[in-house]
Amino acid sequence: LNDGDNWRNVGQALFPAAQAALGEALVRELADALPRALESEAGSQRMQKTLALAVGVTHYAETHTFPPVEYAQSDAEAVAKGLVAAGLDPLHVTTLTDSRATAAALRAALADWTDRLQEGDQAVVYFGGYGTRDAEGAPQLLLHDADGAGAGTFSLAELAELLAALPATSLVVLDCGFDGQGRSVPGGAAATADDLAALAEAGIVFAGSRRGSAHLSPSHAEA
């Protein structure tokens, strides 16, 4: 009779062959089942994902030029938490607030989506903070590093261009203004449909306003 050492030697000799056979069987099973699963409606839905970016700037680097925007940071954090609570994978939700919410960080976050999104996916972008207009009157978002002289800005046209390049369906929520009221800097002009024309081609824009006001989104206290 074989003792324990002999059986261990037999097992060690047979294990590589058994492992290879199991691997081949698994590959054959996946090769047969995976295409059918992906082609099914349920499989396609499981493969879809939503990536979200929540940006909120309460405190700007240039505090004298841009006073704090009440609740903008907490609004962005609440949006992120709400999306996770609704079922989004926490790894698919990015939050940029205050000093982390620079123009460069926003561009980098959107660039990261290029390799992560595919047809059938969704992209969600929320921005809470100051809105403004450039010298030509085009609407812009002001990020933490805005200096009042052109730095730290992110135009809606650029946002639309970056989102349009993605294969996903995009949803944009703008919690800011462009007419000098609410979450916008002084000297703006009343919002028009032209402000959102570029974004409309890239996805859907939710724009809220209060009665008698032309700005796109009221401040937290007025909402």
Side-chain angles (χ1 to χ4, degrees), residues 69-72 75 129 175-177 181-184 208-210 213 215-223:
V69 181
E70 290 187 347
Y71 308 107
D75 284 348
D175 196 355
C176 61
Q181 302 183 59
R183 291 182 173 183
S184 65
S209 65
R210 60 178 179 173
S213 175
H215 62 286
L216 296 181
S217 182
S219 66
H220 186 283
E222 298 166 340

Side-chain angles (χ1 to χ4, degrees), residues 4 14 22 27 38 56 59 78-79 87 90 94-95 103-104 133 143 160 176 178 183 189 192 198-199 206 212-213:
L14 294 178
L22 179 61
V27 169
L38 294 178
H59 300 100
V79 168
T94 301
T95 306
R133 294 183 183 276
L143 282 301
C176 61
F178 303 103
R183 291 182 173 183
T192 68
L199 278 171
F206 276 88
S213 175

Side-chain angles (χ1 to χ4, degrees), residues 53 105-114 125 154 159 162-163 166:
L53 175 61
L106 176 54
R107 292 186 179 96
L110 294 176
D112 178 61
W113 284 0
T114 302
V125 177
F154 203 99
L159 179 60
L162 293 176
L163 292 176
L166 300 174

Side-chain angles (χ1 to χ4, degrees), residues 3-24:
D3 57 19
D5 289 338
N6 286 335
W7 283 119
R8 278 191 292 272
N9 291 334
V10 171
Q12 290 175 355
L14 294 178
F15 180 75
Q19 188 179 40
L22 179 61
E24 291 177 2

